[in-house]
Amino acid sequence: MSVAITGRGAPDFESLFRAAGVTGWMYAADIDTGHEVGHGPDEPLPTASMFKVPLLVALCRQADAGLLDLTGRVTVPAGVRSTGPTGISAMLDDVTISLRDMAYLMIALSDNTSADVLLERVGFDAVNATMDAFGLTGTRVVQGAGEINESMSRDTGHGWPYVDPDDIARLSALDPARANRSTPREMARLFGLIWRDEAASEPSCAWMRSVLNRQVWPHRLASGFPYDDVAVSGKTGTIPTLRCESGVVEYPDGGRYAVSVFTRSFSTALNQPRADAVIGTAARMAVDHLRR
């Protein structure tokens, strides 16, 4: 059973999420002390595009082991694309690019085609074995981005982003038993490993941090920390009714906090500013609690 981690003065996350029209789960921890706060932190949940972070870690570990060269170049023909609005997925011509730059597109722009090409190189088994090695046994990658989109088209008969309430129960992409999955605690732990140089070699972890810091989406986790001297790095995920983001918030005094927030909205509408913003608000409340 997933329960809240509470303490004296812990935030009322339940009321916060409900007011935004969502059900929410979250976990935050001080990367250096281990102090934590959470709300349903061990709930198995679909990760949507956040599966790209375990893939990034496994990619770097294979590069560290000499199993692949991140500077090696690959050509993606124009006719070979996973559906998506950004990166190579949105391009019309053949693209020749290094594996390292594909990883940047996968994280910073959430490019689905880059993710699927890299996943083919790394392999599902390697990604999941990497998570097992870290004790993140609730984190699994079983689908590529293209497979996720194809499953939604198959399950609804018309695909997304436009879905009806009746479609939601049919979406296997929202079922953690069948989809890519993790928990708020495990996603935050994975980010903690990257920030402590434990996920891969020190140079690889430094590079992963730099890529995660370049994510272009400011409307979720980063919206809770609108300050020039606070750095927010992370990776979002979105499929119908599911909005999530995991990342790290760094303060100028050296405080570092791994945060993961998942939400499921009551509405199937594509644009829901409150549902996006509550991710940043919940993260800010959690970090403020930890800093006190």
Side-chain angles (χ1 to χ4, degrees):
M1 180 178 179
S2 185
V3 299
I5 301 170
T6 59
R8 179 176 297 179
D12 182 1
F13 293 111
E14 181 66 29
S15 295
L16 174 71
F17 288 130
R18 186 168 296 278
V22 304
T23 301
W25 305 263
M26 63 81 52
Y27 177 83
D30 186 313
I31 288 174
D32 300 300
T33 69
H35 294 158
E36 61 182 5
V37 65
H39 181 76
D42 300 310
E43 183 74 18
L45 296 160
T47 52
S49 281
M50 288 197 307
F51 86 86
K52 295 164 185 175
V53 180
L55 172 56
L56 179 70
V57 171
L59 175 76
C60 285
R61 289 179 67 86
Q62 287 196 354
D64 289 342
L67 299 177
L68 54 80
D69 177 8
L70 291 181
T71 66
R73 301 174 74 80
V74 60
T75 296
V76 184
V80 181
R81 297 285 191 274
S82 298
T83 303
T86 61
I88 296 175
S89 290
M91 297 178 187
L92 299 179
D93 301 316
D94 293 357
V95 174
T96 300
I97 189 172
S98 70
L99 298 181
R100 179 165 54 194
D101 285 343
M102 291 188 88
Y104 157 75
L105 292 176
M106 172 181 74
I107 297 297
L109 303 183
S110 202
D111 175 26
N112 288 338
T113 295
S114 290
D116 285 353
V117 172
L118 293 174
L119 184 56
E120 185 176 359
R121 291 293 183 97
V122 173
F124 291 100
D125 290 344
V127 176
N128 293 324
T130 298
M131 296 301 102
D132 284 343
F134 293 135
L136 305 179
T137 56
T139 301
R140 283 293 174 270
V141 176
V142 298
Q143 299 170 300
E147 291 176 277
I148 295 172
N149 288 332
E150 289 167 8
S151 76
M152 289 191 286
S153 295
R154 181 177 62 250
D155 293 342
T156 64
H158 57 75
W160 82 294
Y162 305 106
V163 297
D164 299 320
D166 291 342
D167 292 328
I168 296 303
R170 294 194 292 268
L171 291 179
S172 60
L174 290 171
D175 180 1
R178 294 182 286 171
N180 295 335
R181 60 191 177 273
S182 188
T183 69
R185 188 194 303 270
E186 290 201 1
M187 285 303 302
R189 283 183 59 195
L190 182 58
F191 273 85
L193 292 168
I194 297 170
W195 257 253
R196 290 192 303 269
D197 292 331
E198 297 171 2
S201 67
E202 288 188 14
S204 288
C205 285
W207 175 71
M208 284 190 279
R209 291 192 294 270
S210 72
V211 172
L212 288 159
N213 185 246
R214 293 188 176 99
Q215 183 186 224
V216 300
W217 318 118
H219 62 307
R220 291 184 182 165
L221 196 60
S223 69
F225 306 89
Y227 311 109
D228 290 342
D229 58 353
V230 176
V232 180
S233 307
K235 181 71 195 76
T236 64
T238 309
I239 50 179
T241 72
L242 175 74
R243 292 165 176 81
C244 50
E245 184 165 1
S246 301
V248 171
V249 180
E250 298 176 271
Y251 278 71
D253 62 5
R256 308 186 296 174
Y257 308 91
V259 185
S260 181
V261 184
F262 290 70
T263 69
R264 288 287 306 274
S265 63
F266 305 146
S267 167
T268 61
L270 179 61
N271 295 312
Q272 297 189 55
R274 288 193 308 157
D276 289 320
V278 76
I279 292 175
T281 303
R284 173 63 184 277
M285 289 170 61
V287 170
D288 283 350
H289 177 72
L290 293 174
R291 287 178 65 79
R292 285 197 298 267

PDB file of all heavy atoms in Angstrom, residues 237-271:
ATOM      1  N   GLY A 237       6.863  14.041 -18.737  1.00  0.00           N
ATOM      2  CA  GLY A 237       6.161  12.980 -19.444  1.00  0.00           C
ATOM      3  C   GLY A 237       4.702  13.361 -19.592  1.00  0.00           C
ATOM      4  O   GLY A 237       4.124  13.934 -18.667  1.00  0.00           O
ATOM      5  N   THR A 238       4.112  13.043 -20.752  1.00  0.00           N
ATOM      6  CA  THR A 238       2.710  13.404 -21.004  1.00  0.00           C
ATOM      7  C   THR A 238       2.047  12.376 -21.893  1.00  0.00           C
ATOM      8  O   THR A 238       2.549  12.075 -22.988  1.00  0.00           O
ATOM      9  CB  THR A 238       2.607  14.772 -21.718  1.00  0.00           C
ATOM     10  OG1 THR A 238       3.377  15.737 -21.023  1.00  0.00           O
ATOM     11  CG2 THR A 238       1.161  15.236 -21.789  1.00  0.00           C
ATOM     12  N   ILE A 239       0.948  11.814 -21.428  1.00  0.00           N
ATOM     13  CA  ILE A 239      -0.006  11.091 -22.262  1.00  0.00           C
ATOM     14  C   ILE A 239      -1.385  11.438 -21.703  1.00  0.00           C
ATOM     15  O   ILE A 239      -1.463  12.081 -20.654  1.00  0.00           O
ATOM     16  CB  ILE A 239       0.248   9.559 -22.288  1.00  0.00           C
ATOM     17  CG1 ILE A 239       0.383   8.998 -20.873  1.00  0.00           C
ATOM     18  CG2 ILE A 239       1.472   9.234 -23.115  1.00  0.00           C
ATOM     19  CD1 ILE A 239       0.611   7.499 -20.858  1.00  0.00           C
ATOM     20  N   PRO A 240      -2.472  11.084 -22.369  1.00  0.00           N
ATOM     21  CA  PRO A 240      -3.781  11.565 -21.935  1.00  0.00           C
ATOM     22  C   PRO A 240      -4.049  11.370 -20.445  1.00  0.00           C
ATOM     23  O   PRO A 240      -3.925  10.264 -19.922  1.00  0.00           O
ATOM     24  CB  PRO A 240      -4.743  10.740 -22.793  1.00  0.00           C
ATOM     25  CG  PRO A 240      -3.972  10.519 -24.059  1.00  0.00           C
ATOM     26  CD  PRO A 240      -2.570  10.281 -23.614  1.00  0.00           C
ATOM     27  N   THR A 241      -4.386  12.453 -19.800  1.00  0.00           N
ATOM     28  CA  THR A 241      -4.676  12.605 -18.360  1.00  0.00           C
ATOM     29  C   THR A 241      -3.451  12.485 -17.471  1.00  0.00           C
ATOM     30  O   THR A 241      -3.518  12.803 -16.287  1.00  0.00           O
ATOM     31  CB  THR A 241      -5.765  11.620 -17.845  1.00  0.00           C
ATOM     32  OG1 THR A 241      -5.241  10.289 -17.791  1.00  0.00           O
ATOM     33  CG2 THR A 241      -7.021  11.686 -18.703  1.00  0.00           C
ATOM     34  N   LEU A 242      -2.322  12.032 -18.004  1.00  0.00           N
ATOM     35  CA  LEU A 242      -1.101  11.874 -17.204  1.00  0.00           C
ATOM     36  C   LEU A 242      -0.127  13.003 -17.496  1.00  0.00           C
ATOM     37  O   LEU A 242       0.246  13.228 -18.657  1.00  0.00           O
ATOM     38  CB  LEU A 242      -0.421  10.545 -17.508  1.00  0.00           C
ATOM     39  CG  LEU A 242       0.931  10.310 -16.817  1.00  0.00           C
ATOM     40  CD1 LEU A 242       0.718  10.016 -15.332  1.00  0.00           C
ATOM     41  CD2 LEU A 242       1.695   9.171 -17.487  1.00  0.00           C
ATOM     42  N   ARG A 243       0.262  13.715 -16.452  1.00  0.00           N
ATOM     43  CA  ARG A 243       1.316  14.723 -16.539  1.00  0.00           C
ATOM     44  C   ARG A 243       2.290  14.448 -15.404  1.00  0.00           C
ATOM     45  O   ARG A 243       1.875  14.272 -14.254  1.00  0.00           O
ATOM     46  CB  ARG A 243       0.738  16.138 -16.398  1.00  0.00           C
ATOM     47  CG  ARG A 243      -0.121  16.566 -17.562  1.00  0.00           C
ATOM     48  CD  ARG A 243      -0.956  17.794 -17.231  1.00  0.00           C
ATOM     49  NE  ARG A 243      -1.703  18.247 -18.393  1.00  0.00           N
ATOM     50  CZ  ARG A 243      -2.851  17.696 -18.797  1.00  0.00           C
ATOM     51  NH1 ARG A 243      -3.372  16.676 -18.120  1.00  0.00           N
ATOM     52  NH2 ARG A 243      -3.478  18.153 -19.864  1.00  0.00           N
ATOM     53  N   CYS A 244       3.577  14.414 -15.723  1.00  0.00           N
ATOM     54  CA  CYS A 244       4.553  14.111 -14.691  1.00  0.00           C
ATOM     55  C   CYS A 244       5.878  14.769 -15.028  1.00  0.00           C
ATOM     56  O   CYS A 244       6.140  15.139 -16.174  1.00  0.00           O
ATOM     57  CB  CYS A 244       4.734  12.601 -14.531  1.00  0.00           C
ATOM     58  SG  CYS A 244       5.024  11.688 -16.075  1.00  0.00           S
ATOM     59  N   GLU A 245       6.683  14.939 -14.009  1.00  0.00           N
ATOM     60  CA  GLU A 245       8.051  15.404 -14.201  1.00  0.00           C
ATOM     61  C   GLU A 245       8.887  14.985 -13.006  1.00  0.00           C
ATOM     62  O   GLU A 245       8.438  15.022 -11.858  1.00  0.00           O
ATOM     63  CB  GLU A 245       8.131  16.913 -14.394  1.00  0.00           C
ATOM     64  CG  GLU A 245       9.553  17.370 -14.700  1.00  0.00           C
ATOM     65  CD  GLU A 245       9.676  18.771 -15.244  1.00  0.00           C
ATOM     66  OE1 GLU A 245       8.640  19.459 -15.387  1.00  0.00           O
ATOM     67  OE2 GLU A 245      10.822  19.186 -15.532  1.00  0.00           O
ATOM     68  N   SER A 246      10.118  14.592 -13.297  1.00  0.00           N
ATOM     69  CA  SER A 246      11.105  14.277 -12.273  1.00  0.00           C
ATOM     70  C   SER A 246      12.352  15.086 -12.556  1.00  0.00           C
ATOM     71  O   SER A 246      12.691  15.346 -13.722  1.00  0.00           O
ATOM     72  CB  SER A 246      11.447  12.780 -12.286  1.00  0.00           C
ATOM     73  OG  SER A 246      10.295  11.997 -12.054  1.00  0.00           O
ATOM     74  N   GLY A 247      13.043  15.501 -11.489  1.00  0.00           N
ATOM     75  CA  GLY A 247      14.236  16.294 -11.705  1.00  0.00           C
ATOM     76  C   GLY A 247      14.927  16.651 -10.415  1.00  0.00           C
ATOM     77  O   GLY A 247      14.699  16.046  -9.360  1.00  0.00           O
ATOM     78  N   VAL A 248      15.774  17.659 -10.509  1.00  0.00           N
ATOM     79  CA  VAL A 248      16.569  18.132  -9.370  1.00  0.00           C
ATOM     80  C   VAL A 248      16.493  19.648  -9.302  1.00  0.00           C
ATOM     81  O   VAL A 248      16.600  20.332 -10.336  1.00  0.00           O
ATOM     82  CB  VAL A 248      18.033  17.672  -9.482  1.00  0.00           C
ATOM     83  CG1 VAL A 248      18.899  18.347  -8.418  1.00  0.00           C
ATOM     84  CG2 VAL A 248      18.125  16.154  -9.344  1.00  0.00           C
ATOM     85  N   VAL A 249      16.316  20.152  -8.094  1.00  0.00           N
ATOM     86  CA  VAL A 249      16.305  21.586  -7.821  1.00  0.00           C
ATOM     87  C   VAL A 249      17.561  21.905  -7.012  1.00  0.00           C
ATOM     88  O   VAL A 249      17.811  21.272  -5.984  1.00  0.00           O
ATOM     89  CB  VAL A 249      15.046  21.992  -7.028  1.00  0.00           C
ATOM     90  CG1 VAL A 249      15.048  23.493  -6.758  1.00  0.00           C
ATOM     91  CG2 VAL A 249      13.790  21.580  -7.791  1.00  0.00           C
ATOM     92  N   GLU A 250      18.355  22.885  -7.494  1.00  0.00           N
ATOM     93  CA  GLU A 250      19.621  23.228  -6.840  1.00  0.00           C
ATOM     94  C   GLU A 250      19.615  24.691  -6.415  1.00  0.00           C
ATOM     95  O   GLU A 250      19.361  25.586  -7.234  1.00  0.00           O
ATOM     96  CB  GLU A 250      20.782  22.974  -7.796  1.00  0.00           C
ATOM     97  CG  GLU A 250      20.915  21.518  -8.224  1.00  0.00           C
ATOM     98  CD  GLU A 250      22.015  21.311  -9.248  1.00  0.00           C
ATOM     99  OE1 GLU A 250      21.711  21.427 -10.463  1.00  0.00           O
ATOM    100  OE2 GLU A 250      23.159  21.056  -8.850  1.00  0.00           O
ATOM    101  N   TYR A 251      19.905  24.930  -5.144  1.00  0.00           N
ATOM    102  CA  TYR A 251      19.922  26.273  -4.569  1.00  0.00           C
ATOM    103  C   TYR A 251      21.349  26.808  -4.502  1.00  0.00           C
ATOM    104  O   TYR A 251      22.316  26.029  -4.461  1.00  0.00           O
ATOM    105  CB  TYR A 251      19.301  26.255  -3.175  1.00  0.00           C
ATOM    106  CG  TYR A 251      17.793  26.319  -3.183  1.00  0.00           C
ATOM    107  CD1 TYR A 251      17.021  25.234  -3.613  1.00  0.00           C
ATOM    108  CD2 TYR A 251      17.124  27.474  -2.795  1.00  0.00           C
ATOM    109  CE1 TYR A 251      15.636  25.300  -3.636  1.00  0.00           C
ATOM    110  CE2 TYR A 251      15.739  27.553  -2.813  1.00  0.00           C
ATOM    111  CZ  TYR A 251      15.008  26.466  -3.229  1.00  0.00           C
ATOM    112  OH  TYR A 251      13.642  26.542  -3.259  1.00  0.00           O
ATOM    113  N   PRO A 252      21.511  28.135  -4.480  1.00  0.00           N
ATOM    114  CA  PRO A 252      22.859  28.709  -4.463  1.00  0.00           C
ATOM    115  C   PRO A 252      23.652  28.380  -3.199  1.00  0.00           C
ATOM    116  O   PRO A 252      24.886  28.482  -3.206  1.00  0.00           O
ATOM    117  CB  PRO A 252      22.608  30.223  -4.576  1.00  0.00           C
ATOM    118  CG  PRO A 252      21.191  30.417  -4.160  1.00  0.00           C
ATOM    119  CD  PRO A 252      20.474  29.176  -4.576  1.00  0.00           C
ATOM    120  N   ASP A 253      22.976  27.967  -2.128  1.00  0.00           N
ATOM    121  CA  ASP A 253      23.704  27.593  -0.907  1.00  0.00           C
ATOM    122  C   ASP A 253      24.190  26.149  -0.938  1.00  0.00           C
ATOM    123  O   ASP A 253      24.730  25.643   0.042  1.00  0.00           O
ATOM    124  CB  ASP A 253      22.832  27.823   0.331  1.00  0.00           C
ATOM    125  CG  ASP A 253      21.561  26.975   0.345  1.00  0.00           C
ATOM    126  OD1 ASP A 253      21.389  26.120  -0.555  1.00  0.00           O
ATOM    127  OD2 ASP A 253      20.735  27.171   1.257  1.00  0.00           O
ATOM    128  N   GLY A 254      24.007  25.464  -2.072  1.00  0.00           N
ATOM    129  CA  GLY A 254      24.470  24.088  -2.209  1.00  0.00           C
ATOM    130  C   GLY A 254      23.403  23.042  -1.986  1.00  0.00           C
ATOM    131  O   GLY A 254      23.646  21.843  -2.211  1.00  0.00           O
ATOM    132  N   GLY A 255      22.205  23.431  -1.540  1.00  0.00           N
ATOM    133  CA  GLY A 255      21.128  22.477  -1.349  1.00  0.00           C
ATOM    134  C   GLY A 255      20.695  21.852  -2.657  1.00  0.00           C
ATOM    135  O   GLY A 255      20.495  22.565  -3.652  1.00  0.00           O
ATOM    136  N   ARG A 256      20.540  20.525  -2.661  1.00  0.00           N
ATOM    137  CA  ARG A 256      20.153  19.793  -3.869  1.00  0.00           C
ATOM    138  C   ARG A 256      19.013  18.839  -3.508  1.00  0.00           C
ATOM    139  O   ARG A 256      19.141  18.045  -2.571  1.00  0.00           O
ATOM    140  CB  ARG A 256      21.329  18.983  -4.423  1.00  0.00           C
ATOM    141  CG  ARG A 256      22.593  19.788  -4.624  1.00  0.00           C
ATOM    142  CD  ARG A 256      23.672  18.959  -5.307  1.00  0.00           C
ATOM    143  NE  ARG A 256      24.109  17.817  -4.500  1.00  0.00           N
ATOM    144  CZ  ARG A 256      24.956  16.862  -4.922  1.00  0.00           C
ATOM    145  NH1 ARG A 256      25.425  16.921  -6.168  1.00  0.00           N
ATOM    146  NH2 ARG A 256      25.320  15.868  -4.135  1.00  0.00           N
ATOM    147  N   TYR A 257      17.927  18.896  -4.302  1.00  0.00           N
ATOM    148  CA  TYR A 257      16.728  18.154  -3.951  1.00  0.00           C
ATOM    149  C   TYR A 257      16.195  17.433  -5.186  1.00  0.00           C
ATOM    150  O   TYR A 257      15.901  18.063  -6.206  1.00  0.00           O
ATOM    151  CB  TYR A 257      15.662  19.099  -3.391  1.00  0.00           C
ATOM    152  CG  TYR A 257      16.217  19.955  -2.279  1.00  0.00           C
ATOM    153  CD1 TYR A 257      16.788  21.205  -2.568  1.00  0.00           C
ATOM    154  CD2 TYR A 257      16.243  19.504  -0.969  1.00  0.00           C
ATOM    155  CE1 TYR A 257      17.347  21.985  -1.563  1.00  0.00           C
ATOM    156  CE2 TYR A 257      16.805  20.277   0.041  1.00  0.00           C
ATOM    157  CZ  TYR A 257      17.353  21.514  -0.261  1.00  0.00           C
ATOM    158  OH  TYR A 257      17.924  22.282   0.733  1.00  0.00           O
ATOM    159  N   ALA A 258      16.087  16.108  -5.080  1.00  0.00           N
ATOM    160  CA  ALA A 258      15.496  15.310  -6.149  1.00  0.00           C
ATOM    161  C   ALA A 258      13.994  15.245  -5.924  1.00  0.00           C
ATOM    162  O   ALA A 258      13.537  14.961  -4.813  1.00  0.00           O
ATOM    163  CB  ALA A 258      16.080  13.912  -6.156  1.00  0.00           C
ATOM    164  N   VAL A 259      13.237  15.537  -6.971  1.00  0.00           N
ATOM    165  CA  VAL A 259      11.786  15.633  -6.859  1.00  0.00           C
ATOM    166  C   VAL A 259      11.133  14.883  -8.017  1.00  0.00           C
ATOM    167  O   VAL A 259      11.593  14.958  -9.160  1.00  0.00           O
ATOM    168  CB  VAL A 259      11.310  17.103  -6.892  1.00  0.00           C
ATOM    169  CG1 VAL A 259       9.808  17.183  -6.647  1.00  0.00           C
ATOM    170  CG2 VAL A 259      12.064  17.952  -5.888  1.00  0.00           C
ATOM    171  N   SER A 260      10.048  14.162  -7.707  1.00  0.00           N
ATOM    172  CA  SER A 260       9.263  13.506  -8.756  1.00  0.00           C
ATOM    173  C   SER A 260       7.790  13.688  -8.448  1.00  0.00           C
ATOM    174  O   SER A 260       7.345  13.386  -7.335  1.00  0.00           O
ATOM    175  CB  SER A 260       9.602  12.017  -8.830  1.00  0.00           C
ATOM    176  OG  SER A 260       8.857  11.376  -9.850  1.00  0.00           O
ATOM    177  N   VAL A 261       7.040  14.209  -9.422  1.00  0.00           N
ATOM    178  CA  VAL A 261       5.605  14.453  -9.249  1.00  0.00           C
ATOM    179  C   VAL A 261       4.856  13.833 -10.433  1.00  0.00           C
ATOM    180  O   VAL A 261       5.183  14.089 -11.592  1.00  0.00           O
ATOM    181  CB  VAL A 261       5.279  15.961  -9.180  1.00  0.00           C
ATOM    182  CG1 VAL A 261       3.794  16.163  -8.903  1.00  0.00           C
ATOM    183  CG2 VAL A 261       6.123  16.656  -8.106  1.00  0.00           C
ATOM    184  N   PHE A 262       3.865  13.014 -10.117  1.00  0.00           N
ATOM    185  CA  PHE A 262       2.975  12.420 -11.114  1.00  0.00           C
ATOM    186  C   PHE A 262       1.561  12.925 -10.852  1.00  0.00           C
ATOM    187  O   PHE A 262       1.140  12.999  -9.689  1.00  0.00           O
ATOM    188  CB  PHE A 262       2.937  10.901 -10.998  1.00  0.00           C
ATOM    189  CG  PHE A 262       4.177  10.162 -11.405  1.00  0.00           C
ATOM    190  CD1 PHE A 262       5.333  10.226 -10.647  1.00  0.00           C
ATOM    191  CD2 PHE A 262       4.173   9.358 -12.539  1.00  0.00           C
ATOM    192  CE1 PHE A 262       6.462   9.508 -10.995  1.00  0.00           C
ATOM    193  CE2 PHE A 262       5.300   8.633 -12.902  1.00  0.00           C
ATOM    194  CZ  PHE A 262       6.455   8.711 -12.130  1.00  0.00           C
ATOM    195  N   THR A 263       0.811  13.219 -11.903  1.00  0.00           N
ATOM    196  CA  THR A 263      -0.596  13.582 -11.734  1.00  0.00           C
ATOM    197  C   THR A 263      -1.448  12.897 -12.791  1.00  0.00           C
ATOM    198  O   THR A 263      -0.996  12.643 -13.912  1.00  0.00           O
ATOM    199  CB  THR A 263      -0.838  15.110 -11.837  1.00  0.00           C
ATOM    200  OG1 THR A 263      -0.630  15.541 -13.190  1.00  0.00           O
ATOM    201  CG2 THR A 263       0.064  15.886 -10.888  1.00  0.00           C
ATOM    202  N   ARG A 264      -2.702  12.605 -12.399  1.00  0.00           N
ATOM    203  CA  ARG A 264      -3.727  12.153 -13.337  1.00  0.00           C
ATOM    204  C   ARG A 264      -4.886  13.120 -13.234  1.00  0.00           C
ATOM    205  O   ARG A 264      -5.456  13.307 -12.158  1.00  0.00           O
ATOM    206  CB  ARG A 264      -4.207  10.736 -13.004  1.00  0.00           C
ATOM    207  CG  ARG A 264      -3.223   9.621 -13.303  1.00  0.00           C
ATOM    208  CD  ARG A 264      -3.083   9.332 -14.791  1.00  0.00           C
ATOM    209  NE  ARG A 264      -4.347   9.065 -15.439  1.00  0.00           N
ATOM    210  CZ  ARG A 264      -4.926   7.862 -15.498  1.00  0.00           C
ATOM    211  NH1 ARG A 264      -4.347   6.820 -14.934  1.00  0.00           N
ATOM    212  NH2 ARG A 264      -6.066   7.705 -16.133  1.00  0.00           N
ATOM    213  N   SER A 265      -5.254  13.759 -14.338  1.00  0.00           N
ATOM    214  CA  SER A 265      -6.308  14.767 -14.315  1.00  0.00           C
ATOM    215  C   SER A 265      -7.685  14.127 -14.416  1.00  0.00           C
ATOM    216  O   SER A 265      -7.857  13.065 -15.019  1.00  0.00           O
ATOM    217  CB  SER A 265      -6.112  15.768 -15.459  1.00  0.00           C
ATOM    218  OG  SER A 265      -6.207  15.127 -16.715  1.00  0.00           O
ATOM    219  N   PHE A 266      -8.659  14.804 -13.819  1.00  0.00           N
ATOM    220  CA  PHE A 266     -10.038  14.336 -13.904  1.00  0.00           C
ATOM    221  C   PHE A 266     -10.605  14.573 -15.300  1.00  0.00           C
ATOM    222  O   PHE A 266     -11.496  13.871 -15.752  1.00  0.00           O
ATOM    223  CB  PHE A 266     -10.916  15.051 -12.873  1.00  0.00           C
ATOM    224  CG  PHE A 266     -10.403  14.934 -11.459  1.00  0.00           C
ATOM    225  CD1 PHE A 266     -10.560  15.972 -10.559  1.00  0.00           C
ATOM    226  CD2 PHE A 266      -9.754  13.784 -11.028  1.00  0.00           C
ATOM    227  CE1 PHE A 266     -10.095  15.865  -9.259  1.00  0.00           C
ATOM    228  CE2 PHE A 266      -9.277  13.665  -9.727  1.00  0.00           C
ATOM    229  CZ  PHE A 266      -9.449  14.710  -8.837  1.00  0.00           C
ATOM    230  N   SER A 267     -10.087  15.574 -16.000  1.00  0.00           N
ATOM    231  CA  SER A 267     -10.542  15.929 -17.340  1.00  0.00           C
ATOM    232  C   SER A 267      -9.600  15.352 -18.385  1.00  0.00           C
ATOM    233  O   SER A 267      -8.405  15.163 -18.137  1.00  0.00           O
ATOM    234  CB  SER A 267     -10.589  17.452 -17.488  1.00  0.00           C
ATOM    235  OG  SER A 267     -10.746  17.841 -18.844  1.00  0.00           O
ATOM    236  N   THR A 268     -10.133  15.081 -19.579  1.00  0.00           N
ATOM    237  CA  THR A 268      -9.297  14.599 -20.680  1.00  0.00           C
ATOM    238  C   THR A 268      -8.813  15.735 -21.579  1.00  0.00           C
ATOM    239  O   THR A 268      -8.157  15.484 -22.593  1.00  0.00           O
ATOM    240  CB  THR A 268     -10.075  13.590 -21.543  1.00  0.00           C
ATOM    241  OG1 THR A 268     -11.229  14.242 -22.087  1.00  0.00           O
ATOM    242  CG2 THR A 268     -10.489  12.385 -20.729  1.00  0.00           C
ATOM    243  N   ALA A 269      -9.103  16.984 -21.226  1.00  0.00           N
ATOM    244  CA  ALA A 269      -8.686  18.125 -22.053  1.00  0.00           C
ATOM    245  C   ALA A 269      -7.171  18.142 -22.209  1.00  0.00           C
ATOM    246  O   ALA A 269      -6.426  17.828 -21.274  1.00  0.00           O
ATOM    247  CB  ALA A 269      -9.165  19.427 -21.430  1.00  0.00           C
ATOM    248  N   LEU A 270      -6.716  18.536 -23.392  1.00  0.00           N
ATOM    249  CA  LEU A 270      -5.281  18.576 -23.665  1.00  0.00           C
ATOM    250  C   LEU A 270      -4.602  19.713 -22.918  1.00  0.00           C
ATOM    251  O   LEU A 270      -3.528  19.536 -22.335  1.00  0.00           O
ATOM    252  CB  LEU A 270      -5.050  18.725 -25.173  1.00  0.00           C
ATOM    253  CG  LEU A 270      -3.597  18.811 -25.634  1.00  0.00           C
ATOM    254  CD1 LEU A 270      -2.830  17.535 -25.269  1.00  0.00           C
ATOM    255  CD2 LEU A 270      -3.542  19.065 -27.143  1.00  0.00           C
ATOM    256  N   ASN A 271      -5.204  20.886 -22.931  1.00  0.00           N
ATOM    257  CA  ASN A 271      -4.616  22.058 -22.277  1.00  0.00           C
ATOM    258  C   ASN A 271      -5.241  22.254 -20.904  1.00  0.00           C
ATOM    259  O   ASN A 271      -6.421  22.577 -20.787  1.00  0.00           O
ATOM    260  CB  ASN A 271      -4.828  23.309 -23.143  1.00  0.00           C
ATOM    261  CG  ASN A 271      -4.080  23.222 -24.459  1.00  0.00           C
ATOM    262  OD1 ASN A 271      -2.906  22.882 -24.486  1.00  0.00           O
ATOM    263  ND2 ASN A 271      -4.767  23.510 -25.557  1.00  0.00           N
TER     264      ASN A 271
END
